[in-house]
Amino acid sequence: MADTKVEQMSVNVVKEPSLMTGAVPTKDWMDVPAVFKPGNYCYPGKPSIMEYHNNHTLPGLFGEAREFAYEDEDWKLPENWKEIIINGIKERLDKFRSFKVYMDICVRCGACADKCHFFLGTGDPKNMPVLRAELLRSIYRNEFTKAGKMLGRLAGARELTIDVIKEWFMYFYQCTECRRCSVFCPYGIDTAEITMMGRELLHLLGINTNWIMEPAANSNRTGNHMGLQPHTFKQNAEFLLDDIEEVTGVRINSLNFNRKGAEVLFIIPSADVFAEPGIFTFMGYVVLFDHIGLDYTISTYSSEGGNFGLFTSNELMKKLNGKMYAEAKRLGVKWILGGECGHMWRVIHQYMDTMNGPTDNLEIPKSPLTGTVFDNAATTKMVHISEFTADLVHHNKLKIDKSRNDHRTVTFHDSCNPARAMGLLEEPRTVINAVCNNFYDMPENTIRESTFCCGSGTGLNTGEIMDIRMRGALPRANAVKYVKEKHGVNTLACVCAIDRATLTSMNEYWNPEVEVAGISELVGNALIMDGEKERESGLRFEPLAGTEG
């Protein structure tokens, strides 16, 4: 059934039929151009958005703002575009030792080939991580190695042409930087880093996607992806208190904003206050904090933990990450608690220490309820909500009625960045098992460090490439289908805002009977609040088991 659905999709990203049918190719991969047609590429950044970046964000990093379309033959590149790219590669080779190593050590063994969800979903060889990296590595060999200059194609080298630039855009935006391939690489090559370098180089020519550049501009300007003004963000969050009261009978008054002197600054992905199913996750946060009496505040000026700089350039990543710590310093909090976000946590755990430096104005996080000191956050001063909640569970600090989630049979999607980048593997499962009676993991080779991606991360969760997204999501969807059919799973839980959005679309297509939920929503359902009425529904107003009809 799944194979039939894939065959019905209309997208074909290459002209050479043999690459998609398994027949012997008639052309070398270097001779097969990328073909742009509606549905297989993301739209470029709006000129107004790019002008904002060039004037206010990081001038000089994003190329010239201009009106063009990727289906056009002429992308209106600057006259010296080739010089810009070669100089850009040289600069990054000098700056990032890992980039130089990854360019040199690959032996093209192919261990990564069948590990990429986009290759599995599309069947396009250029979506094999090894070949995707060759798109850039071949130019590196031609320009920076003696063998490449002398032997050309025999050494895997090729000339930099406009067709190469177009190919880069096509395939570096069919990579979600999920790093699953790196788990299986015998040399530890992180192809996600190569994708990041490729995207940075494209940005130098003004080649980008609006779905990434506009949220990044909004975060720089107003502190969240949607560009919500402080009062609007506050109103959206407070509106959810009415829903909590309707479900529980309890009016929560502890939610507050921009309060100086609070112990904890709580930072979420902004989708949690304006979009389903994220709003139910936010309601769970608020119920939990009121339940334990946490002294916290939320900043309306840095309300976004998701860092779209990770998808654009290291410099923008550094700037957006720094906003959170600037707010923590302004508000005088002791430490930061982060919500259910994916790429926020990769930035914090893999880049922050060397990128933004030490956070000497904050304290090592310590739970005010249990006394646990989170030594793993000794430098970042930031704790994930699942770590925090699992610690509360371990010390029996929560009043829980697990039966309130009996209408849900749950499985868990290990979001790529929290799982592979920060090792958050058991804490979410600890929380789920504490608040749910019915939990089943997906097959072992699809979870934990080997987890499959949602298929739409790193800014690819845009509507114009829905066919590509559904192809990329196929491996994860198959694993969900397995536990749905074997155990009756009807809920896919996760700890990432992008996943909550993308997995919802994935399940609507592949597994329409399965809903997507944040773990904190399940916590909010199960918590016994002081003064509550008898619960008849969960936080999204769905009837609890035994109350239907």
Side-chain angles (χ1 to χ4, degrees), residues 211-340:
W211 189 252
I212 293 175
M213 300 313 297
E214 188 164 348
N218 288 337
S219 289
N220 188 72
R221 183 175 58 250
T222 68
N224 59 76
H225 290 160
M226 290 297 293
L228 300 177
Q229 296 295 320
H231 64 282
T232 304
F233 181 89
K234 179 174 180 289
Q235 289 169 354
N236 281 13
E238 291 176 336
F239 177 78
L240 298 174
L241 300 180
D242 295 335
D243 288 348
I244 293 173
E245 184 175 12
E246 186 172 347
V247 170
T248 68
V250 177
R251 184 68 186 182
I252 290 179
N253 298 309
S254 56
L255 180 64
N256 67 96
F257 303 90
N258 306 317
R259 178 168 61 89
K260 291 187 176 182
E263 181 174 359
V264 175
L265 173 62
F266 183 51
I267 298 179
I268 62 171
S270 58
D272 285 356
V273 299
F274 64 78
E276 293 186 11
I279 56 174
F280 309 121
T281 302
F282 183 83
M283 292 162 67
Y285 300 147
V286 174
V287 170
L288 172 65
F289 297 158
D290 190 76
H291 182 76
I292 64 176
L294 185 67
D295 179 18
Y296 76 103
T297 193
I298 297 175
S299 168
T300 58
Y301 301 101
S302 182
S303 54
E304 179 64 66
N307 192 327
F308 271 39
L310 178 63
F311 316 148
T312 52
S313 78
N314 281 267
E315 293 301 317
L316 183 55
M317 175 169 48
K318 176 180 179 179
K319 184 175 185 183
L320 295 181
N321 187 71
K323 290 190 71 171
M324 299 190 300
Y325 288 88
E327 272 299 274
K329 184 175 182 179
R330 182 183 74 86
L331 295 173
V333 300
K334 293 181 179 179
W335 54 280
I336 304 174
L337 181 62
E340 294 184 12

Side-chain angles (χ1 to χ4, degrees), residues 84-235:
I84 292 172
I85 291 296
I86 299 303
N87 288 339
I89 294 175
K90 183 180 185 302
E91 177 186 346
R92 282 155 184 80
L93 289 171
D94 293 339
K95 186 175 182 181
F96 301 109
R97 183 171 57 183
S98 61
F99 183 39
K100 177 70 166 64
V101 171
Y102 296 157
M103 289 293 98
D104 285 332
I105 67 173
C106 178
V107 296
R108 289 178 278 190
C109 68
C112 62
D114 62 346
K115 308 307 185 294
C116 175
H117 50 281
F118 276 117
F119 174 61
L120 293 173
T122 66
D124 187 339
K126 291 184 183 179
N127 273 326
M128 293 188 294
V130 58
L131 190 45
R132 187 185 292 112
E134 285 293 307
L135 306 181
L136 178 52
R137 192 178 285 121
S138 57
I139 303 304
Y140 161 78
R141 292 195 186 104
N142 191 70
E143 299 292 336
F144 296 95
T145 70
K146 290 182 180 180
K149 291 178 180 179
M150 294 173 62
L151 300 176
R153 282 200 177 195
L154 290 176
R158 62 174 175 165
E159 291 284 339
L160 178 60
T161 65
I162 290 178
D163 282 342
V164 168
I165 294 299
K166 292 181 177 181
E167 185 183 53
W168 282 5
F169 177 79
M170 174 68 76
Y171 291 100
F172 289 141
Y173 284 91
Q174 287 185 59
C175 170
T176 52
E177 302 175 16
C178 81
R179 303 171 65 246
R180 190 173 193 263
C181 53
S182 67
V183 173
F184 298 92
C185 176
Y187 289 90
I189 295 173
D190 190 343
T191 306
E193 296 282 346
I194 298 174
T195 292
M196 291 168 67
M197 294 300 102
R199 288 189 182 186
E200 278 199 16
L201 294 168
L202 291 171
H203 278 295
L204 297 176
L205 302 181
I207 298 172
N208 49 58
T209 72
N210 196 69
W211 189 252
I212 293 175
M213 300 313 297
E214 188 164 348
N218 288 337
S219 289
N220 188 72
R221 183 175 58 250
T222 68
N224 59 76
H225 290 160
M226 290 297 293
L228 300 177
Q229 296 295 320
H231 64 282
T232 304
F233 181 89
K234 179 174 180 289
Q235 289 169 354

Side-chain angles (χ1 to χ4, degrees), residues 359-471:
T359 52
D360 295 336
N361 59 292
L362 299 177
E363 300 177 6
I364 299 176
K366 179 179 179 180
S367 173
L369 278 298
T370 68
T372 297
V373 176
F374 294 93
D375 291 320
N376 61 309
T379 56
T380 65
K381 311 300 194 300
M382 192 166 181
V383 173
H384 192 286
I385 185 67
S386 291
E387 296 175 281
F388 183 73
T389 308
D391 178 64
L392 295 172
V393 168
H394 178 72
H395 288 90
N396 297 313
K397 295 296 183 180
L398 304 178
K399 299 177 182 178
I400 294 171
D401 181 355
K402 297 172 68 171
S403 68
R404 291 176 179 172
N405 283 312
D406 281 353
H407 59 300
R408 298 191 177 277
T409 301
V410 182
T411 192
F412 178 63
H413 166 71
D414 290 275
S415 300
C416 301
N417 288 312
R420 277 191 282 267
M422 68 178 293
L424 193 75
L425 305 174
E426 301 308 324
E427 291 88 346
R429 290 173 170 83
T430 295
V431 176
I432 293 174
N433 279 309
V435 299
C436 298
N437 285 312
N438 308 306
F439 171 67
Y440 301 93
D441 255 322
M442 287 177 276
E444 191 63 31
N445 64 337
T446 72
I447 59 174
R448 293 185 170 87
E449 293 93 339
S450 299
T451 186
F452 274 115
C453 179
C454 67
S456 308
T458 64
L460 301 188
N461 54 321
T462 178
E464 64 262 27
I465 59 165
M466 190 60 76
D467 280 359
I468 292 290
R469 287 175 54 188
M470 294 302 101
R471 289 175 181 269

